[in-house]
Amino acid sequence: GTPTACTRCPCDAPAGLDISVDEEAEGPQYVVIAPGTVYDSRIATGGARQSFIFEAMPGYTYYTQAWLTTLGDSVMYMYEARQVAGGYEPGRQVAYNDDRPDAPNYQQYYGSAFSYQVPYSGAPTGHYIIEVRAYSASETGGFQILTEPNTF
């Protein structure tokens, strides 16, 4: 599906937004997320990935983390979203993490986390795609994802 862009920051998830993924649709499918909100997700098939899209404000630094619930190990990527006919696709990779270096209390080494400062571009906002994969192509399981602007 095509993401619904928010027009203010911080973003709130639009009321009634259907974030389900159409398994028959071609091309990348994204779950629209609002910064500051925790989302439950899962990788149901080995080798699959879960992709999210959000609208970011230039100059803000966003901290993004995948907290593992039943997934054993994750890898997370962040891409600039490139607008194409019918939606968005991943553009330039801007961040990556295999094992989180700063897990709360260092209790979860195999989750993923990173910070990224959105460059000043002249545009009021930009879209970014976050992709979470299992580290092993055979792994499945659940995780929570959160992206939020840093306040420091």
Side-chain angles (χ1 to χ4, degrees):
T2 302
T4 303
C6 73
T7 57
R8 63 191 191 296
C9 190
C11 298
D12 292 323
L17 177 64
D18 178 10
I19 60 171
S20 61
V21 175
D22 180 1
E23 298 295 330
E24 301 300 317
E26 292 186 28
Q29 298 297 303
Y30 305 107
V31 175
V32 179
I33 60 175
T37 303
V38 176
Y39 293 88
D40 290 313
S41 193
R42 74 177 286 102
I43 296 175
T45 306
R49 62 192 72 187
Q50 185 66 45
S51 298
F52 308 87
I53 191 165
F54 74 100
E55 187 174 29
M57 299 294 294
Y60 281 65
T61 298
Y62 289 85
Y63 176 70
T64 303
Q65 60 182 319
W67 184 260
L68 307 181
T69 54
T70 60
L71 183 63
D73 193 358
S74 67
V75 180
M76 188 167 61
Y77 300 82
M78 185 175 191
Y79 303 93
E80 293 175 339
R82 182 174 36 231
Q83 192 161 12
V84 295
Y88 292 90
E89 67 182 15
R92 182 176 66 97
Q93 179 182 320
V94 296
Y96 163 85
N97 185 260
D98 177 12
D99 292 320
R100 50 190 299 143
D102 58 348
N105 301 321
Y106 295 93
Q107 293 176 354
Q108 191 176 77
Y109 182 75
Y110 294 108
S112 301
F114 49 66
S115 288
Y116 176 70
Q117 183 176 11
V118 176
Y120 292 98
S121 63
T125 61
H127 288 87
Y128 285 82
I129 294 168
I130 300 166
E131 184 179 277
V132 178
R133 303 178 193 174
Y135 181 77
S136 167
S138 62
E139 271 187 286
T140 61
F143 62 94
Q144 293 180 318
I145 188 160
L146 168 68
T147 190
E148 59 188 343
N150 283 339
T151 56
F152 50 72

